[in-house]
């Protein structure tokens, strides 16, 4: 009886694993088929002729714009954008969390509430005014402009994460540091920051996936030389009146998702745990 | 001095948020009262856009769809997340493998997975076709083509994306329950069923709340999901407020109407989030 | 170094190769090309981006644009003036009037038209036609008869993708076929409520419903090229689609007139509904104007127009380009365009935003799609069409 | 035959042996206290009795019946947990009634029982509150109520008082004692607290590393420890364990800068004779060394030695004064009368009650008798 | 002039008054212990002295200088926290050195100092470990080291031992006492533990609701409590507080089913006379009631009354036996010799040491002298 139950339990779990893996499976399988096989065949079947060509094409030969560059140059653009954006938003989030938990002052809750609500605004509404502001400050079409945008709209979440994390950080430590003569900055850099490992990981992963996956801002505010990966991928897969090379599209899609996938799988356990520490408890 | 520095540190962030979030919300509110069409115009036009908005059949459809989508999405994600979390909490071997599998969809954007889903749901290419090829001829699954059912396919894909995340939240909640309470319930003679229904699930209330807020805001903001999957079709059958707003603002050159729909959306979000924030922040002390 | 920045959505293989011609040309003149491709939804995405760019004061040099979008932007007083160049190169003489309607604003040249797509084509699988002994239908009844035959033979009669713009593409053709050029003008271009609400329009909707009967069940949401593939693969008899569909046939190794047929939608033989891609020039700083003029000039050069359109499947926007390089369908298209231009039956396509502004177009889409999907009967559809158009204006 | 028999019980988690061959018997109505350092396996033993953990080998019998294969709910055992483990989502009444409900008792009957128990524990007025609205002591009572209401054969308590403050702990301790005396139920009780162990238990088992070190009455454990570990573990302040050298019937304890202190016995225990001239460990509890005025602590006929010792530290503790002196290189705590008026760094006359002295082998730690 | 002067200090958080008009003086080298129920303001007072909280009104002076406006780092005060508050990311050495580093002391000098302090505290071998790798007692030592190394004018301790288990607590208590005696630094110390308060303090302040209830030496607080609250709060087991009726120079305490117990005094305190025929509260500590054989607990010349009392519960606690009887409707705890051999539910002869009895007004709770 117990054994039967156990078996049923595992079957259900594996069934769901299949459900979650299906789209990825579809993408992977079809990214190594020839176009003819895709047109004629079964989406779920394994490739008759295995070909790695679509991956090569997607990476270095596919037509993204005028030049057949593949996704590779845009990969670099994405990195150039993601790294500073993640760094800055995480740093600001950490500072905000620090102030909001350890240097409280009247009205700090309202400020936190304002920041938190910012997580929830639909991004479409900010496109036009944001463009205007970027134009005025001369950052339109630049990578730094994109970084600014991502920093601004990531602040809510990073602050939330750090605030919840630091809230559980004993106040006595701060008091001890004060007694030891450390001021605002040294308390932060010497005591809190070195102990923030888990939440930094969570925040970085969260920000990284969000910024990496962003399409709307990338398309709207990037220029020809700062276009991120997602926009390039979109150019690859949703060209309007041309021939659709599905195998290349899928290969490109997996390529574009690779960094986030790797990050999730490698640090997934840390992420879940950190999420408990930082986010779920509200 | 001691009092000033922290505020000084906070001020850049606060400034950014005030300008780029609240400033823009006000700006949008203003636009919704103007006759803006293609580019912003600053001629006030009263509440004309709102009358127009509520006169739009598409808007009403979008709201109705949101209701269907939102309720199903939140309910299914919560139930599924809870069930998976409970199952995964039975000292499962291989939890370390299953958990990231359930969770990874959250890491992918629909720009990436949209095509795969579209294929999978397409009767001619996907599941139905596969089943036919495998010999189950009578199998039909053409919801994505069916005006009445298409919104449910959006639910399927959306559930796919977020339920793992909800699962993680519930798992965190489950792991946080005092093991002595579970032992006490066993001593009291609770069966596994009553253990969960009477003792465990009632204690997960805060997690339900957090999950609800996260899911609700995702539901209201749902955009690329619909665009990738059905692009609002068949017909307008899967239009949601977010796609409505985007298309009126940017492709239909009716920025005023788009802005007014954005204001309504914001109001909806606020009506969910603000009470939550209020209770959360008050409780803290 | 001089440079131009071009916003466009031609990212598929053929299109992009065609653009490369232009790029090379400019580079040979010392002008570098900054590519700004934003694909998706017939330029919807690109228009959003453009709006952001313009708002931020960072407009591109040139933007690929369609139909009424051009007019809308022209109204904003942010476009460059190409009159001088146009006068020098004599554009007025070689560009059809219907195109000029979009390329010029208040009498000033603002855009360089690249191509003309005509949208009222029928693409047919020759093998099926031969097998069933069908001739090219020339009017509505013949079309229905042919479709019946195909359907009876077990093929999907009409390959169609259920997306609003595809529905509307057929609608354009049916309007033209049912009411003729004048009715098209009155209803689709002038949006005369009487025409929109007329019995003719009801017939149009009835015919749409009739066509719906020839479409397979699985049509909704299907991309147009998948529908084309059905014709190519001999699963379906015909597809009603613009001339870009030809690229799919050629790519699959099919030859015009041997493997597939191209002909005008029955009943619209004399008329052409079109859409035209144009490069709209935005106002730029003085230092960049020279490059911008070079770009405009290059776009209008006959060699480019020929080279580009051969690849793209469309026909040149200039009527004086030699047709040597084009295939059978291309030659047919060029001839018919020229004829229609002369005859005054060259009309902007409603489905592709060349007859009414975007707001009205989308309002029409809503009704057409709703009706095509069976939400309205024809009478209601007519009523709704009048209402929708009125409220969108 | 004993009521609860724990017979050669072993329990391993994976390769870690947590309980090793534990055998304990408790008579009906007995009160067994388990003590031992953290991690020694006390909770694990309790859990095996409750059925929350399966034992690896051995047998547990209640009233002669082997219960090893019964699930917890069928063992008729109730348990009170350290954290009380009240169901936070139910009110007090529901908490108490839950076990009855699970056993399918009809609602009216449940209500009567709950009300009875609540009355006994004086928590009737709390029945509608949620656990979150209760103080520590009130929670403790509710947890007891939950156990009591089921009228079980056997009660298990896992450090039930350790979350209460000192004052409340004393009160609840007395209450548990009284409850035990009234109901006469058999109890197994885990605690860290010496006093709790001594005052409550009819029997105490001292565990270390999953092995029973000593099993006996509180007085046996306290006065007659079977090894150094037990001697050191039980009692607070702890027993003084002083290195000394055996000389005939006396033991000598070194002092810095003074003559050694000699305790002259009428007769040393037999085992000690073998250590002539060698080191042993002498164990004397603080209360067996006192000030001369307090002589009556040494009862009539008991042997005693009086000696002058240098007092290093004086710690007045209210009811008593603890004075620390130094013997055999160790700090020795003595318990003096609260009215004693000596000073630190002065000599004082101390009385050693020789009847209370015990001896250990310095290497093995085994008691010498 | 006293070294630390706390002068009419008030502290409010918003509208909540947490400290009300607190005035305490500590001489140089003194050891002030603050006790009181949870939430009474002990930590707040400590924080105000440290400068971690600004006081609302009043003044704090060290060595005559007002320090109210100095930031914590300039007050030359060190503090040891209940949770030890060790920096989890630094090793022990860095933890101890951090305060010196912040004050800009060069590295070599720091190292020397850290090593010195570590040697004193016998934690030299731990210097490279992270706090997470230490046991509770070791952490406690590191926290002390961190305070010691700065060589401050004043030490503040906020329940530094409450996270340790009973055994370790006793050891560390002795160590703190010794450290205080060696260094002679002034200390303010918060604790919940009666024994800690009594053994460590040169002075104890009992707080309740932010008000000082009594301020005095440990002996004063213990033997001479100024009101019912202090009497009840200090000492464990607590003082017996028995309702009684005054009859001339005697007090009568009711007993169920027996004649009242009469304690006949040579002379009642003056205040009590006014209560003739009325109720008062009689306070007697458990150790002032003992078994007849233990008479010498009552020293020569002290008044005592012997009476036969019914014993309800017997709690042998190792060193002593606590027996509970009933007087004036209250449970009365008595402390008997460990060798006492009486039984529950039998009568026993008990001796009441009248010298130790105190009296309170039953309404106001004020001590009657
Ligand atoms: N489920 C388990 N899996 C593996 N090891 C366990 C498990 N439960 C307990 N242990 C180990 O068994 C040993 C005994 O644990 P137990 O909880 O019985 O100790 P304890 O005596 O109750 O300690 P404490 O006084 O701290 O409560 C410990 O070393 C513990 O780490
Ligand atoms: N920052 C603060 N803001 C508002 N109220 C506070 C603050 N800090 C403490 N209090 C309140 O002041 C009162 C005294 O707190 P304090 O921490 O001094 O008590 P305590 O005597 O140290 O208690 P414990 O023994 O539990 O540590 C409490 O009621 C507490 O709620
Ligand atoms: Mg335990
Ligand atoms: Mg405190």
């Amino acid at each position: 009886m117990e054994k039967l139950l156990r078996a049923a339990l595992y079957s259900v779990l594996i069934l769901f694993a299949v459900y979650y893996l299906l789209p990825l499976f579809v993408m992977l399988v079809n990214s190594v088929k020839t176009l003819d096989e895709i047109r004629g065949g079964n989406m779920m079947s394994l490739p008759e002729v295995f070909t790695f060509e679509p991956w090569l094409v997607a990476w270095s030969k596919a037509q993204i714009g005028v030049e057949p560059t593949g996704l590779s140059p845009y990969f670099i653009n994405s990195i150039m954008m993601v790294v500073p954006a993640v760094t800055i938003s995480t740093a600001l989030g950490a500072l905000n969390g620090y102030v909001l938990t350890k240097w409280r002052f009247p009205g700090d809750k309202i400020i936190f509430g304002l920041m938190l609500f910012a997580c929830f605004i639909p991004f479409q509404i900010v496109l036009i005014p944001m463009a205007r502001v970027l134009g005025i400050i001369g950052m339109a079409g630049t990578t730094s402009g994109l970084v600014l945008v991502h920093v601004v709209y990531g602040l809510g979440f990073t602050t939330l994460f750090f605030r919840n994390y630091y809230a559980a950080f004993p106040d006595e430590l701060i008091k001890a540091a004060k007694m030891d003569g450390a001021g605002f900055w040294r308390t932060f850099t010497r005591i809190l920051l070195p102990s923030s490992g888990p939440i930094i990981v969570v925040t970085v992963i969260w920000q990284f996936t969000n910024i990496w996956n962003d399409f709307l801002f990338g398309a709207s505010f990037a220029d020809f030389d700062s276009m991120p990966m997602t926009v390039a991928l979109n150019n690859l897969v949703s060209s309007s009146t041309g021939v659709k090379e599905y195998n290349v599209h899928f290969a490109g899609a997996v390529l574009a998702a690779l960094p986030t996938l790797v990050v999730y799988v490698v640090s997934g356990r840390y992420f879940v745990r950190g999420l408990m520490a930082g986010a779920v408890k509200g | 001095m001691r009092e000033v520095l922290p505020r000084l540190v906070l001020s850049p962030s606060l400034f950014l948020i005030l300008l780029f979030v609240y400033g823009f919300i006000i700006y949008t509110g203003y636009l919704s009262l103007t006759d803006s069409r293609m580019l912003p115009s600053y001629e006030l036009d009263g509440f004309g856009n709102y009358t127009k908005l509520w006169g739009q059949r598409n808007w009403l459809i979008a709201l109705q769809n949101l209701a269907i989508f939102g309720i199903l999405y939140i309910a299914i994600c919560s139930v599924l997340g809870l069930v998976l979390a409970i199952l995964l909490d039975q000292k499962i071997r291989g939890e370390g493998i299953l958990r990231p599998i359930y969770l990874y969809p959250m890491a992918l954007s629909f720009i990436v997975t949209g095509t795969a889903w579209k294929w999978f749901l397409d009767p001619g290419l996907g599941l139905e076709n596969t089943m036919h090829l495998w010999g189950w001829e009578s199998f039909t699954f053409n919801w994505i083509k069916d005006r009445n059912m298409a919104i449910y396919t959006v639910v399927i894909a959306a559930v796919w994306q977020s339920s793992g995340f909800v699962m993680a939240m519930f798992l965190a909640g489950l792991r946080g329950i005092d093991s002595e309470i579970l032992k006490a319930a066993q001593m009291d003679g609770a069966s596994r069923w009553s253990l969960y229904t009477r003792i465990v699930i009632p204690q997960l209330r805060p997690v339900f709340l957090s999950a609800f807020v996260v899911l609700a805001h995702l539901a209201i903001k749902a955009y690329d999901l619909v665009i990738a999957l059905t692009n609002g079709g068949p017909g307008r059958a899967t239009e949601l407020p977010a796609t409505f707003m985007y298309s009126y603002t940017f492709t239909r050159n009716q920025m005023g109407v788009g802005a007014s729909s954005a204001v309504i959306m914001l109001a909806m979000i606020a009506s969910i989030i603000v009470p939550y924030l209020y209770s959360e922040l008050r409780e803290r002390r | 170094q001089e440079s131009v920045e071009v916003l466009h959505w031609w990212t598929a293989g053929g299109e992009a190769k065609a653009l490369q011609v232009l790029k090379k040309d400019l580079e040979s003149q010392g002008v570098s090309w900054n590519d700004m491709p934003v694909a998706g939804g017939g330029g919807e995405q690109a228009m959003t981006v453009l709006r952001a760019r313009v708002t931020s004061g960072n407009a591109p040099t040139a933007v690929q644009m369609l139909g009424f979008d051009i007019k809308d932007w022209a109204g904003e007083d942010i476009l460059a003036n190409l009159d001088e160049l146009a006068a020098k190169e004599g554009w007025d003489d070689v560009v059809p009037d219907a195109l000029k309607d979009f390329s010029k604003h208040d009498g000033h040249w603002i855009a360089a038209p690249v191509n003309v797509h005509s949208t009222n084509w029928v693409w047919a699988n020759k093998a099926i036609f031969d097998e069933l002994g069908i001739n090219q239908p020339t009017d509505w009844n013949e079309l229905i008869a042919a479709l019946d035959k195909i359907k009876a033979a077990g093929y999907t009669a009409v390959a169609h993708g259920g997306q609003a713009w595809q529905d509307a593409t057929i609608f354009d053709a049916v309007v033209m076929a049912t009411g003729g050029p004048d009715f098209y003008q009155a209803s689709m271009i002038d949006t005369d409520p009487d025409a929109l609400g007329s019995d003719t329009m009801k017939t149009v909707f009835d015919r749409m419903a009739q066509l719906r009967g020839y479409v397979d069940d699985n049509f909704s949401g299907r991309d147009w090229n998948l529908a084309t593939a059905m014709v190519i693969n001999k699963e379906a008899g015909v597809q009603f689609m613009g001339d870009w569909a030809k690229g799919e046939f050629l790519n699959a190794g099919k030859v015009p007139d041997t493997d597939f047929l191209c002909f005008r939608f029955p009943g619209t033989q004399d008329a052409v509904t079109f859409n035209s891609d144009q490069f709209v020039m935005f106002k730029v700083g003085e230092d960049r104007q020279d490059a911008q003029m070079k770009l405009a000039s290059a776009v209008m050069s006959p060699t480019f127009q020929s080279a580009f359109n051969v690849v793209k499947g469309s026909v040149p926007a200039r009527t004086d380009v030699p047709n040597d390089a084009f295939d059978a369908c291309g030659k047919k298209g060029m001839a018919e365009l020229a004829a229609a231009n002369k005859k005054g039956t060259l009309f902007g396509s409603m489905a592709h935003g060349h007859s009414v502004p975007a707001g009205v177009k989308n309002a029409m889409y809503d009704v057409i799609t709703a009706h095509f999907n069976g939400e309205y009967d024809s009478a209601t559809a007519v009523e709704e069409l009048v209402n929708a158009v009125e409220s969108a204006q | 035959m004993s009521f609860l028999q724990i017979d050669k019980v072993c329990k391993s988690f994976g390769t870690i042996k947590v309980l090793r061959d534990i055998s304990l018997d408790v008579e009906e109505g007995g009160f067994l206290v388990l003590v031992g350092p953290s991690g020694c396996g006390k909770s694990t033993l309790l859990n095996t009795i409750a059925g929350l953990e399966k034992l690896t080998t051995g047998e547990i019998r209640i009233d002669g019946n082997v219960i090893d294969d019964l699930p917890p709910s069928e063992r008729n055992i109730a348990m009170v947990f350290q954290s009380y483990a009240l169901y936070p989502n139910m009110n007090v009444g529901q908490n108490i009634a839950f076990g009855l409900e699970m056993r399918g008792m009809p609602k009216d009957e449940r209500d009567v029982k709950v009300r009875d128990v609540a009355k006994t524990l004086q928590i009737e007025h709390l029945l509608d509150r949620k656990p979150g609205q209760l103080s520590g002591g009130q929670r403790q009572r509710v947890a007891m109520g939950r156990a009591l209401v089921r009228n079980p054969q056997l009660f298990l308590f896992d450090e039930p008082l350790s979350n209460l403050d000192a004052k409340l702990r004393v009160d609840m301790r007395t209450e548990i004692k009284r409850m035990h005396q009234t109901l006469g139920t058999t109890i197994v009780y885990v605690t860290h607290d010496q006093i709790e162990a001594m005052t409550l238990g009819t029997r105490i088992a001292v565990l270390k590393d999953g092995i029973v070190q000593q099993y006996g009455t509180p007085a046996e454990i306290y006065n007659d420890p079977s090894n150094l570990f037990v001697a050191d573990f039980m009692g607070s302040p702890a027993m003084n364990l002083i290195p000394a050298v055996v000389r005939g019937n006396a033991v000598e304890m070194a002092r810095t800068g003074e003559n050694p202190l000699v305790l002259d016995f009428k007769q040393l225990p037999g085992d000690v004779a073998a250590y002539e001239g060698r080191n042993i460990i002498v164990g004397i509890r603080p209360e067996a060394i006192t000030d001369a005025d307090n002589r009556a602590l040494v009862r009539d006929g008991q042997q005693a030695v009086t000696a002058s010792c240098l007092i290093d530290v004086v710690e007045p503790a209210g009811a008593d004064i603890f004075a620390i002196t130094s013997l055999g290189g160790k700090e020795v705590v003595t318990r003096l009368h609260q009215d004693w008026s000596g000073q630190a760094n002065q000599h004082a006359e101390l009385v050693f009650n020789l009847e209370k002295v015990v001896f250990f082998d310095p290497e093995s730690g085994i008691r010498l008798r």
Side-chain angles (χ1 to χ4, degrees), chain C residues 18 48 141 200 326 349:
Chain C
T48 307
N141 293 335
T200 318
F326 290 80
S349 154

Side-chain angles (χ1 to χ4, degrees), chain C residues 176-213:
Chain C
M176 182 69 83
T178 308
D182 290 341
F183 180 70
Y184 188 91
Q185 172 78 36
S187 60
M188 294 292 101
I189 294 175
D190 300 338
T191 59
D192 173 1
D194 293 338
L196 289 173
S198 65
D199 286 345
T200 318
M201 191 52 82
K202 184 161 176 298
T203 316
V204 171
F205 275 111
D206 285 338
R207 289 182 166 184
M208 288 298 286
Q210 212 174 349
L211 286 179
R212 169 73 177 77

Side-chain angles (χ1 to χ4, degrees), chain C residues 233-247:
Chain C
N233 295 336
K234 211 182 157 193
E235 288 163 26
V238 299
Q239 181 186 17
F240 309 122
M241 189 41 64
D243 48 20
W244 50 86
K246 191 177 67 183

Side-chain angles (χ1 to χ4, degrees), chain B:
Chain B
M1 173 56 200
R2 277 203 294 162
E3 300 304 312
V4 174
L5 190 57
R7 293 173 214 214
L8 213 63
V9 166
L10 205 56
S11 54
S13 300
L14 185 61
F15 170 78
L16 288 177
I17 293 278
L18 283 182
L19 173 64
F20 289 113
V21 175
Y22 296 93
F24 290 180
I25 288 176
I26 292 168
Y27 178 85
T28 304
Y30 182 84
L31 276 193
S32 74
L33 301 177
T34 67
D35 58 357
S36 300
R37 297 192 138 247
M38 190 165 72
L39 287 177
S41 127
Y42 301 101
E43 299 289 313
L44 276 178
D45 189 35
F47 288 89
N49 289 320
Y50 288 92
T51 355
K52 236 188 220 166
L53 177 70
W54 289 102
Q56 293 283 335
R57 189 167 148 276
N58 284 348
W59 175 244
L60 300 177
I61 291 177
L63 286 182
Q64 190 187 335
N65 279 338
L66 179 64
I68 297 174
F69 172 74
I71 289 170
L72 283 179
Y73 169 69
I74 293 172
I76 296 176
C77 273
S78 306
V79 171
L80 191 61
L82 178 63
V83 168
L84 283 180
I86 288 177
L87 293 185
L88 214 51
D89 200 33
Q90 306 300 316
K91 303 209 173 76
I92 291 295
R93 222 175 293 160
E95 186 195 327
I97 301 170
L98 288 170
R99 211 177 30 198
I101 289 181
Y102 295 169
L103 197 59
Y104 88 95
M106 198 68 181
L108 303 185
S109 99
F110 261 90
I111 297 283
V112 170
T113 49
T115 321
W117 266 107
K118 205 155 117 181
W119 272 44
F120 183 74
L121 294 169
D122 190 294
L125 294 167
L127 190 63
E128 187 175 314
N129 183 35
T130 307
M131 288 300 166
H132 292 178
L133 289 175
W134 285 349
W136 184 0
E137 291 292 342
S138 59
F139 182 88
T140 50
F141 185 72
N142 60 351
W143 286 7
I144 198 169
K145 306 296 186 186
D146 184 334
R147 204 155 32 80
N148 297 317
M149 304 304 279
I151 188 74
Y152 301 106
T153 63
V154 180
V155 174
I156 292 176
V159 166
W160 171 81
Q161 193 180 35
S162 333
S163 52
F165 186 72
V166 178
M167 185 271 311
M169 294 172 77
F170 276 115
L171 199 57
L174 284 176
R175 297 274 150 90
I177 290 181
D178 180 3
S179 68
E180 285 197 341
I181 288 190
L182 303 181
K183 286 185 184 170
Q186 261 178 289
M187 297 295 297
D188 269 344
S191 64
R192 205 166 276 186
W193 173 254
S194 38
L195 182 70
Y196 278 105
T197 52
R198 300 288 305 278
I199 309 290
V200 173
I201 295 176
Q203 284 188 61
L204 292 178
R205 225 186 56 131
V207 186
F208 274 104
L209 203 64
S210 304
F212 175 77
V213 169
V214 169
L215 291 172
H217 110 266
L218 284 176
I220 293 177
K221 276 167 85 172
Y223 172 74
D224 52 354
L225 169 67
V226 177
I227 294 299
L229 205 59
T230 60
N231 201 5
R236 294 279 151 210
T238 53
E239 188 89 79
L240 288 178
T243 59
F244 178 94
M245 189 223 329
Y246 186 83
S247 79
Y248 272 74
T249 310
F250 294 109
T251 61
R252 298 193 175 203
N253 296 343
Q254 305 237 37
M255 197 171 273
V257 178
S260 61
S261 70
V263 169
I264 304 284
M265 276 178 70
L266 274 171
M268 289 194 291
I269 293 173
S271 68
I272 290 172
I273 302 295
V274 170
Y276 170 75
L277 281 185
Y278 186 73
S279 69
E280 273 291 301
L281 294 179
R282 241 170 60 118
E283 226 168 279
R284 276 287 158 73
R285 200 33 351 158

